Amino acid sequence: MTNFQTKFNYFIFVLRIILTLFAGSMLIFTVIVSPSLLETEKDSFAIISGVILFALLWGFLCYRVAKLVFTQIHIFDFKNHELTIINAITKVEKQIKLDEIRGFSTSQYQTRVWDFKSVIIYYENGRKEELPQFLYLNFKKIPVALEAIGINNFGYEPFVWKFFDSRHYKY
């Protein structure tokens, strides 16, 4: 395989933006409405804790989805044993030398409804990049293209949560 380019799923990207805007507006609404609600119900522990929990929930959701909007926006172009990373929004290209990539692994995030697969690219400088299945329309060809340009396949690694918004990487 000499030429291959990932097909970025812009529909998922737009849904993420809409969800970020919705969660952000709900957070702002909670912050604006809560002082008047708390003033009328100042003795109610349930109302106070509910408002705090509601604000934290919308804040976390807004943060989490916004982080994905800004970090998972790359198109990968494999040509003649070279890798070019293209920003899906700005179309800015960045050439990656093969010696800057340590290797890649595959992983799977299991839910009750669906199993989401991903490819994780490990760079020599310690940076990692995760490519989720639902964000690329031709996802199954990505590992094949990475191997075709000579990048090491580390194999499968289990999905292990590290903190509420990150995961533990094996390699």
Side-chain angles (χ1 to χ4, degrees):
M1 177 177 297
T2 55
N3 294 333
F4 171 73
Q5 187 175 54
T6 58
K7 294 180 183 174
F8 191 76
N9 191 345
Y10 285 98
F11 179 72
I12 297 295
F13 180 75
V14 170
L15 284 178
R16 284 179 170 178
I17 290 174
I18 291 170
L19 184 58
T20 302
L21 293 174
F22 177 72
S25 63
M26 290 303 290
L27 176 62
I28 291 169
F29 176 76
T30 302
V31 169
I32 291 172
V33 170
S34 63
S36 62
L37 180 65
L38 291 175
E39 188 175 309
T40 60
E41 299 287 336
K42 59 185 168 189
D43 294 332
S44 175
F45 177 75
I47 297 293
I48 294 170
S49 58
V51 166
I52 292 171
L53 185 63
F54 197 68
L56 288 173
L57 172 76
W58 287 115
F60 172 73
L61 185 63
C62 182
Y63 159 76
R64 184 67 178 124
V65 179
K67 181 180 173 184
L68 294 174
V69 165
F70 291 111
T71 58
Q72 293 182 345
I73 55 170
H74 295 128
I75 297 169
F76 294 85
D77 190 17
F78 306 93
K79 286 186 184 171
N80 301 325
H81 299 286
E82 293 180 356
L83 174 62
T84 304
I85 298 177
I86 306 165
N87 186 304
I89 307 308
T90 63
K91 302 298 183 197
V92 174
E93 295 183 4
K94 181 181 177 185
Q95 287 290 115
I96 302 292
K97 297 177 184 173
L98 293 183
D99 60 352
E100 294 177 24
I101 300 173
R102 218 171 74 223
F104 76 97
S105 68
T106 57
S107 187
Q108 188 169 329
Y109 174 73
Q110 297 176 347
T111 63
R112 293 180 187 203
V113 180
W114 196 270
D115 293 340
F116 296 106
K117 296 177 182 169
S118 66
V119 171
I120 302 141
I121 298 175
Y122 291 92
Y123 296 95
E124 287 291 340
N125 63 5
R127 199 169 63 90
K128 300 150 196 77
E129 189 153 8
E130 193 164 354
L131 290 72
Q133 173 184 7
F134 53 84
L135 203 52
Y136 297 96
L137 299 174
N138 54 354
F139 176 80
K140 290 182 180 180
K141 295 179 181 179
I142 295 173
V144 175
L146 287 167
E147 286 180 348
I149 63 171
I151 297 178
N152 292 331
N153 183 349
F154 296 144
Y156 177 81
E157 72 175 271
F159 188 95
V160 179
W161 283 104
K162 184 178 184 180
F163 196 55
F164 68 91
D165 73 333
S166 63
R167 66 173 287 175
H168 173 73
Y169 295 98
K170 186 176 179 180
Y171 302 105

